[in-house]
Amino acid sequence: MQISSVNDVKIYNLSHGKSLPEWLSDRKKRALQNKDVDIQRRIELIQDFEMPTVCTSIKVSRDGQFILAAGTYKPRIRCYDTYQLSLKFERCLDSDVVAFDILSDDYSKLVFLHCNRYVEFHSQHGHYYKTRIPKFGRDFAYHYPSCDLYFVGASSEIFRLNLEQGRFLNSLQTDAVEHNVCDINPVHQLLASGTAEGKVECWDPRVRSRVGMLDCALSSVTEGTEVEGLPSVSALKFNGSLTMAVGTSTGQVLIYDLRSSRPLLVKDHYYGLPIKSVNFQDHLDLVLTADSKIIKIWNKDTGKVFSSIEPQTNINDVCIYPGSGMLFTANEDPKMNTFYIPALGPAPRWCSFLDNLTEELEESPESTVYDDYKFVTRKDLENLGLSHLVGSSLLRAYMHGFFMDIRLYHKVKTMANPFAYEEYRKDKIRQKIEESRAQRVQIKKLPKVNKELALKLMEEGDDEAELSARKKKGKALPSILSDERFQVMFENPDYQVEEQSEEFRLLNPIVSKVGQKRRKKLRLLAKQATDAENAEANQEEEEPEGRGSSDESSDDDKSWVDEVREQRRLIYEEGRDRRRQERKQQDRNTTLLDQDSTQNHAQGRKQGQQPRFFQIKAGEEFRSFGDVARKQKLQKASLEERLKLEERSGTVNVADTAVGSKQLTFTLKKSEQQQRQQQAEREHHEERKKLRRSAGHLSSERGRGRGRGGFRGRGGSRGRGHY
């Protein structure tokens, strides 16, 4: 059995599978069934439901018990009993059957139209009577009220044969050259005949006159329709009292209301092949139309496609089992296909087990349509060396590639890659080893980037998982480590967190404090989940007496604020030390550069070499080479000497710093009173210097003072000289 789905409609091909030849003995057939898996899996709904070569037409009796099929070669008719699910009888004929019909409710009255103009009648026991019509026939219809058979064919006349009287009646004269098909409305018995000119003529059998004509060839050509030649009528079918479907030889189907000459709907198969069969499904208002390639099922009001069936061989006829979702097809193949579509209706009563079978298949995972085929592209064919098979029967074109037999594919694959089995064996061994390793203790592997962050996230994930496990209906949230959106953060080194940066050091106290609060909250929630009744008591025990939870939170806030301030202080001190080191390094580099320039200049002067050029740094003002030596001498001098030098020059020099050389000159402005006071003190000191007397002869160890170059008396006055 083969299962396919078109537009979400399941289609079961019950005839799919291998068929055994007739000439095999029963013993060999049983042996093959035991060995071959495909033969075991097939469903033989009706035994020997096939023809020797080709089946041309198939019909079901009105009571639903018998299925009759006509085929060749040799020309024959086969009758199958659905109650016994087997062949009831087979009758061989003299010539091929063009069309046949069942006149009774069962198989007891049959009429066959042969290709050699003969009309043959069969009764329950077999052949009953044979007669001949004047022209080659193509189709016929039976008029039950008058027991007349109407034959159409390669003639402008419609021949009438009355079965009650057993003689031909006057034929109906038409304007057509040839007729292809005919049908009689089951409600009001209107006879319709489709002509080779693309027209449908309607006749009233009671008065034997034409009551209307429809030009289907002109109506079938719509916008975007491409036809080759004049469309002729190839199929005709009535539905109810007012609806009629007409199929053309160019692949169009027209739905008519008999009260209008214009079609209600035009449906195109887009294959350009003649329509061979038209059937109605009244329960869902569907129309089943078939050409030699495909069976299309569509809505008769809107034309929307319901589903489609595409057998592997050409189609000759289609028959629907009444009141069910089963249909039979006559193909250009020995096997007659049986399709079951549950969406169209239930299975027939004689095979009701199909409903249970299909329900089980829908519940279980089903195999694809092409289990025995492998889909390959053109590139795959080139790799396998099978490009020369394109266009042959071994490849079936489908979409952007081809389907080929899976057995052929495996053979070619083995020849192209003889070590494929070894690779497959190694993969299997590797999978077994990995499965055994999975049973061991799992070690959490940290990523190469942001290991500390990953470890922190793992710990938090374990806490959340433990909390969700304690809850009844809780679910753990997905971790960042397992989220694909954040994988780059743990793989790309550009996303490495710089823990020594100022931003991280300032933000880390806050983040760590928030994480501590979060973990504390998780523990609190877990405790509340495990013991909801004593939650308030536990909370009171945790808090100190006379102190609320708000005080604790305020202390937490103060603690991380102090930590942030401490980090800011450390960052400032580190920056100051770093700037100081940079300044010292820059001064050292400047000194070494000056020494090198002085030595090189002196050596060049001694040796008579050419002068060398030096680079002036940005921020420095070049005055002369003497300034460099003076600056170097000033740096070697002591603090006392530098202060004296500044007092003499009246300027304050600032040495080179990291921001460049700067020089500041200033003079203090004093008031007139201060100037007079300083002048008076200066005159007083000059006067005292003139009156100073030598005291060198008074050398005493006892009276030596602690002043510089003088004596300090007991009176506490300070001065130079002898008192």
Side-chain angles (χ1 to χ4, degrees):
M1 183 173 62
Q2 186 184 51
I3 306 173
S4 60
S5 179
V6 180
N7 287 347
D8 295 332
V9 177
K10 293 291 182 64
I11 301 172
Y12 298 88
N13 186 359
L14 305 178
S15 303
H16 181 74
K18 295 181 179 180
S19 58
L20 298 177
E22 296 180 353
W23 44 266
L24 285 179
S25 62
D26 295 339
R27 184 177 180 180
K28 289 186 177 180
K29 288 182 180 180
R30 288 193 298 269
L32 287 175
Q33 289 177 357
N34 295 331
K35 293 180 180 179
D36 200 332
V37 179
D38 294 336
I39 296 177
Q40 293 177 1
R41 290 180 178 177
R42 68 172 184 167
I43 296 177
E44 194 173 9
L45 190 62
I46 300 176
Q47 186 179 3
D48 297 331
F49 194 65
E50 57 186 13
M51 281 288 172
T53 306
V54 173
C55 181
T56 57
S57 57
I58 186 170
K59 291 184 183 295
V60 179
S61 62
R62 285 197 294 270
D63 60 2
Q65 183 179 354
F66 303 100
I67 302 172
L68 288 97
T72 192
Y73 176 81
K74 301 177 180 180
R76 68 190 66 202
I77 180 75
R78 285 184 174 181
C79 179
Y80 297 90
D81 190 349
T82 57
Y83 291 173
Q84 302 298 327
L85 298 179
S86 61
L87 178 66
K88 187 172 182 62
F89 64 84
E90 178 183 11
R91 298 172 185 172
C92 291
L93 305 173
D94 296 335
S95 59
D96 292 335
V97 177
V98 177
F100 77 95
D101 198 1
I102 305 171
L103 303 183
S104 60
D105 293 339
D106 54 4
Y107 67 94
S108 59
K109 293 180 182 180
L110 305 176
V111 181
F112 300 96
L113 176 62
H114 293 278
C115 62
N116 56 358
R117 294 189 296 156
Y118 275 97
V119 179
E120 187 173 353
F121 298 90
H122 282 227
S123 61
Q124 189 173 2
H125 61 83
H127 173 75
Y128 179 76
Y129 184 76
K130 182 187 289 187
T131 186
R132 200 172 189 183
I133 58 176
K135 299 291 184 179
F136 289 97
R138 296 175 181 173
D139 196 9
F140 69 93
Y142 180 65
H143 186 250
Y144 283 91
S146 62
C147 297
D148 289 344
L149 278 174
Y150 291 87
F151 296 93
V152 297
S155 174
S156 61
E157 300 180 64
I158 300 177
F159 304 107
R160 292 195 303 156
L161 176 62
N162 188 273
L163 301 184
E164 184 180 5
Q165 301 177 17
R167 66 188 181 94
F168 284 96
L169 302 179
N170 293 331
S171 60
L172 304 178
Q173 298 292 332
T174 65
D175 296 336
V177 178
E178 293 180 350
H179 296 267
N180 293 330
V181 291
C182 65
D183 193 23
I184 295 178
N185 193 295
V187 179
H188 47 68
Q189 307 301 320
L190 183 68
L191 173 64
S193 173
T195 67
E197 292 83 7
K199 296 180 181 180
V200 175
E201 296 185 3
C202 298
W203 295 75
D204 188 356
R206 297 172 297 180
V207 296
R208 297 185 300 277
S209 63
R210 189 174 63 190
V211 296
M213 180 182 292
L214 298 174
D215 192 353
C216 300
L218 184 61
S219 301
S220 64
V221 180
T222 58
E223 295 182 2
T225 304
E226 297 181 1
V227 295
E228 296 180 0
L230 181 65
S232 60
V233 178
S234 59
L236 190 63
K237 188 71 174 179
F238 280 103
N239 180 39
S241 59
L242 298 175
T243 306
M244 180 179 65
V246 179
T248 64
S249 60
T250 54
Q252 289 83 29
V253 181
L254 298 86
I255 303 296
Y256 279 96
D257 189 322
L258 295 180
R259 296 168 293 184
S260 175
S261 60
R262 294 183 179 180
L264 300 176
L265 180 66
V266 179
K267 182 68 176 178
D268 197 345
H269 272 217
Y270 297 106
Y271 280 101
L273 301 174
I275 303 297
K276 293 195 172 185
S277 175
V278 178
N279 293 277
F280 287 91
Q281 213 276 349
D282 297 330
H283 180 64
L284 298 176
D285 293 334
L286 298 176
V287 183
L288 287 82
T289 56
D291 55 21
S292 60
K293 190 175 185 63
I294 192 172
I295 303 172
K296 287 194 175 183
I297 308 173
W298 45 279
N299 189 281
K300 70 176 183 179
D301 297 326
T302 61
K304 183 179 180 181
V305 176
F306 179 76
S307 184
S308 62
I309 304 172
E310 189 175 358
Q312 297 180 357
T313 56
N314 292 339
I315 303 170
N316 291 327
D317 192 15
V318 177
C319 176
I320 300 178
Y321 193 89
S324 70
M326 181 174 290
L327 56 93
F328 307 100
T329 61
N331 312 310
E332 292 286 332
D333 192 67
K335 187 178 294 185
M336 294 177 286
N337 289 336
T338 304
F339 296 97
Y340 175 51
I341 307 175
L344 294 182
R349 184 177 58 182
W350 49 272
C351 57
S352 58
F353 60 88
L354 288 177
D355 290 330
N356 298 331
L357 181 62
T358 54
E359 288 177 1
E360 292 177 0
L361 290 176
E362 289 179 359
E363 293 176 358
S364 60
E366 62 197 27
S367 58
T368 57
V369 182
Y370 303 103
D371 267 344
D372 298 333
Y373 292 87
K374 173 70 175 178
F375 181 79
V376 292
T377 60
R378 287 187 176 271
K379 187 176 181 180
D380 296 336
L381 291 177
E382 292 177 359
N383 295 334
L384 296 174
L386 300 178
S387 302
H388 61 282
L389 296 180
V390 176
S392 64
S393 58
L394 298 176
L395 296 178
R396 184 182 179 89
Y398 184 78
M399 295 179 68
H400 63 284
F402 305 90
F403 276 107
M404 64 182 301
D405 194 286
I406 192 67
R407 294 171 296 178
L408 175 62
Y409 176 79
H410 286 322
K411 289 181 180 179
V412 178
K413 186 74 174 176
T414 305
M415 296 173 63
N417 188 7
F419 301 101
Y421 176 75
E422 293 295 332
E423 296 176 359
Y424 171 78
R425 183 170 172 272
K426 291 180 181 178
D427 293 339
K428 282 295 182 181
I429 294 173
R430 191 181 301 109
Q431 292 177 5
K432 291 291 184 181
I433 294 174
E434 291 178 357
E435 290 177 0
S436 62
R437 287 176 179 174
Q439 298 176 0
R440 302 175 184 174
V441 178
Q442 297 292 331
I443 300 175
K444 296 181 179 179
K445 294 183 179 180
L446 295 176
K448 296 181 180 180
V449 182
N450 293 327
K451 293 184 179 180
E452 296 183 359
L453 177 61
L455 183 60
K456 181 180 178 182
L457 293 175
M458 287 180 181
E459 294 176 355
E460 294 180 356
D462 294 340
D463 295 339
E464 293 181 359
E466 183 179 358
L467 176 61
S468 62
R470 291 182 179 180
K471 292 184 178 180
K472 294 182 179 179
K473 297 183 179 180
K475 292 183 179 180
L477 297 175
S479 176
I480 296 178
L481 294 172
S482 59
D483 198 336
E484 297 180 355
R485 298 174 296 175
F486 300 97
Q487 286 184 356
V488 183
M489 189 171 65
F490 301 99
E491 296 176 356
N492 193 346
D494 296 339
Y495 291 89
Q496 178 66 42
V497 177
E498 297 180 359
E499 298 182 358
Q500 301 300 327
S501 61
E502 296 183 6
E503 293 81 0
F504 180 82
R505 293 175 62 182
L506 293 176
L507 190 61
N508 189 40
I510 303 174
V511 175
S512 60
K513 188 59 64 177
V514 171
Q516 293 176 4
K517 289 183 178 180
R518 187 163 175 266
R519 287 192 292 271
K520 191 174 183 180
K521 185 177 180 181
L522 289 173
R523 288 194 297 270
L524 182 61
L525 291 175
K527 186 177 294 184
Q528 291 177 356
T530 54
D531 194 2
E533 297 179 357
N534 300 329
E536 296 180 359
N538 294 336
Q539 187 175 1
E540 292 176 0
E541 292 177 1
E542 290 177 1
E543 295 179 356
E545 185 178 359
R547 187 175 182 181
S549 60
S550 61
D551 297 337
E552 185 179 354
S553 63
S554 62
D555 291 345
D556 292 340
D557 295 339
K558 289 180 181 179
S559 63
W560 70 259
V561 168
D562 295 340
E563 190 172 352
V564 171
R565 288 177 178 174
E566 180 66 20
Q567 290 293 335
R568 286 184 179 276
R569 187 185 63 80
L570 293 175
I571 291 172
Y572 175 75
E573 291 181 357
E574 291 177 0
R576 186 180 59 185
D577 295 341
R578 184 170 57 256
R579 289 192 296 271
R580 186 178 300 169
Q581 293 292 336
E582 292 177 356
R583 189 183 302 114
K584 288 183 179 180
Q585 184 66 26
Q586 187 176 3
D587 293 343
R588 189 179 297 107
N589 295 337
T590 304
T591 303
L592 294 175
L593 181 63
D594 294 341
Q595 292 177 359
D596 293 341
S597 61
T598 304
Q599 293 177 2
N600 294 334
H601 184 67
Q603 292 177 2
R605 185 178 302 173
K606 290 179 180 179
Q607 299 177 3
Q609 296 178 355
Q610 295 181 358
R612 300 182 63 183
F613 297 93
F614 301 93
Q615 183 180 2
I616 301 175
K617 294 185 178 180
E620 293 184 355
E621 182 181 356
F622 178 77
R623 290 183 293 273
S624 64
F625 289 102
D627 294 338
V628 178
R630 191 182 307 110
K631 188 183 298 183
Q632 184 177 358
K633 184 178 180 181
L634 183 62
Q635 289 178 354
K636 294 181 179 180
S638 62
L639 177 61
E640 182 181 2
E641 294 177 353
R642 280 183 290 178
L643 291 175
K644 287 181 180 180
L645 182 61
E646 290 175 359
E647 289 178 358
R648 294 173 186 173
S649 60
T651 60
V652 179
N653 294 328
V654 181
D656 293 340
T657 61
V659 296
S661 300
K662 294 183 180 180
Q663 184 176 6
L664 180 64
T665 303
F666 61 92
T667 304
L668 296 177
K669 292 184 179 181
K670 300 179 181 179
S671 61
E672 295 180 359
Q673 184 178 359
Q674 290 178 350
Q675 292 179 0
R676 287 196 298 269
Q677 185 177 358
Q678 289 182 359
Q679 184 66 24
E681 291 179 357
R682 194 178 299 109
E683 292 176 356
H684 176 70
H685 282 292
E686 293 293 337
E687 183 180 358
R688 295 294 298 221
K689 287 180 180 180
K690 293 178 181 179
L691 297 175
R692 187 182 65 175
R693 290 172 296 192
S694 175
H697 61 283
L698 297 175
S699 58
S700 176
E701 295 292 337
R702 185 188 304 176
R704 187 177 299 275
R706 291 180 296 176
R708 188 182 63 176
F711 298 92
R712 187 182 296 266
R714 292 188 179 184
S717 61
R718 183 178 180 183
R720 295 182 180 181
H722 181 71
Y723 292 92

